[in-house]
């Protein structure tokens, strides 16, 4: 979707696409993932986003979004998005090149689990009666950002680029550990035929 990005879901896939919109849009989705697991785990994902073009898009568009992944009471990831996009170099290339940015607040937490009541030693052996110091109702918050570009080569042909996790935040629970969100580079192209859209992405 990096090279398509033509609705409010652009917040997630390529924020530059928000600049192509001329009217407000609202999106919401809910999914139960991997149903029927043998341990009856309840894995869910929820998403809500709203975008508001400024002067019908002539001065860009802003958007807000919320995304949450939960695994019962054991684990939760939450992302809050604040986004803005607009046409670039509008005087020389009207309605061809767009840029967008996401500023994100990331939060993840672990609730109480039986696994957390037993720590592991340096050789991987269970330390009975010793609680895992990292997983005791641990939580972590971070600030992150994404950048996106969308280029209309021709009326039906579009190219897209998104750089995700620009800041590469350290999301490790322990202050003594490092677990960086690696930077992702996404390249996309799309062709809009009269009755369908052909698209492809390449992700590094």
């Amino acid at each position: 979707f990096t090279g398509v990005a033509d609705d409010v879901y652009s917040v997630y896939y390529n924020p530059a696409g928000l600049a192509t919109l001329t009217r407000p849009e609202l999106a919401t989705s809910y999914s139960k993932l991997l149903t029927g697991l043998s341990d009856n785990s309840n894995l869910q994902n929820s998403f809500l986003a709203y975008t508001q073009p400024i002067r019908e898009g002539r001065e860009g568009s802003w958007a807000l979004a919320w995304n949450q992944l939960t695994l019962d009471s054991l684990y939760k990831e939450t992302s809050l998005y604040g986004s803005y996009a607009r046409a670039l170099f509008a005087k020389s290339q009207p309605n061809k090149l767009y840029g967008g940015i996401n500023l994100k607040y990331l939060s993840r937490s672990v609730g109480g689990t039986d696994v957390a009541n037993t720590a592991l030693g340096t050789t991987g052996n269970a330390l009975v009666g010793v609680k895992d110091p990292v997983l005791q109702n641990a939580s972590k918050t971070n600030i992150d950002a994404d950048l996106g570009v969308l280029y209309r080569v021709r009326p039906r042909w579009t190219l897209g680029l998104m750089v995700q996790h620009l800041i590469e935040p350290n999301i490790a629970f322990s202050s003594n550990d490092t677990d960086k969100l690696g930077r992702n580079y996404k390249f996309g192209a799309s062709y809009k035929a009269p009755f369908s859209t052909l698209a492809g992405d390449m992700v590094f």
Side-chain angles (χ1 to χ4, degrees), residues 23-160:
R23 60 183 181 179
E25 289 190 13
L26 174 70
T28 181
S29 65
Y30 170 79
S31 303
K32 292 194 74 170
L33 309 175
L34 304 176
T35 58
L37 295 175
S38 59
D39 63 355
N40 296 318
S41 294
N42 187 16
L43 193 63
Q44 306 173 68
N45 192 88
S46 303
F47 181 79
L48 176 66
Y50 174 79
T51 184
Q52 176 68 56
I54 304 170
R55 295 185 61 194
E56 297 183 341
R58 291 189 295 275
E59 295 183 6
S61 300
W62 60 264
L64 298 173
W66 167 78
N67 190 43
Q68 186 172 81
L69 174 74
T70 61
L71 174 58
D72 296 315
S73 62
L74 306 183
Y75 182 74
K76 180 169 68 174
E77 286 182 6
T78 304
S79 302
L80 299 176
Y81 295 71
S83 308
Y84 178 73
R86 67 172 302 151
L88 303 176
F89 312 113
K91 292 183 180 179
S92 58
Q93 295 182 349
N95 300 324
K96 283 192 174 183
L97 183 63
Y98 306 92
I101 185 171
N102 290 331
L103 296 179
K104 300 188 293 185
Y105 174 82
L106 308 179
S107 173
R108 63 197 295 250
S109 60
V110 175
T113 72
D114 292 338
V115 174
N117 293 329
T118 302
L120 296 179
T122 55
T123 60
N125 58 308
L127 303 178
V128 180
V130 179
K131 293 187 176 183
D132 190 309
V134 177
L135 301 179
Q136 296 301 311
N137 296 312
S139 63
K140 180 71 173 180
T141 59
N142 295 93
I143 300 298
D144 196 9
D146 307 323
L147 288 177
V149 176
L150 199 67
Y151 180 59
R152 281 184 173 160
V153 183
R154 310 188 105 191
R156 295 185 182 275
W157 287 94
T158 307
L159 300 177

Side-chain angles (χ1 to χ4, degrees), residues 158-179:
T158 307
L159 300 177
L161 165 66
M162 182 177 179
V163 182
Q164 192 179 31
H165 307 312
L166 188 67
I167 301 175
E168 293 189 296
N170 178 18
I171 61 172
F173 288 123
S174 173
S175 59
N176 300 323
D177 200 2
T178 300
D179 184 13

Side-chain angles (χ1 to χ4, degrees), residues 1-5 12-15 147-151 158-164 183-191 198-204:
F1 201 72
T2 308
V4 180
Y12 185 85
Y13 292 103
N14 184 354
L147 288 177
V149 176
L150 199 67
Y151 180 59
T158 307
L159 300 177
L161 165 66
M162 182 177 179
V163 182
Q164 192 179 31
R183 193 172 294 151
N184 295 331
Y185 299 89
K186 301 183 179 183
F187 300 90
S190 70
Y191 173 74
L198 305 177
D201 273 15
M202 184 163 51
V203 181
F204 297 90

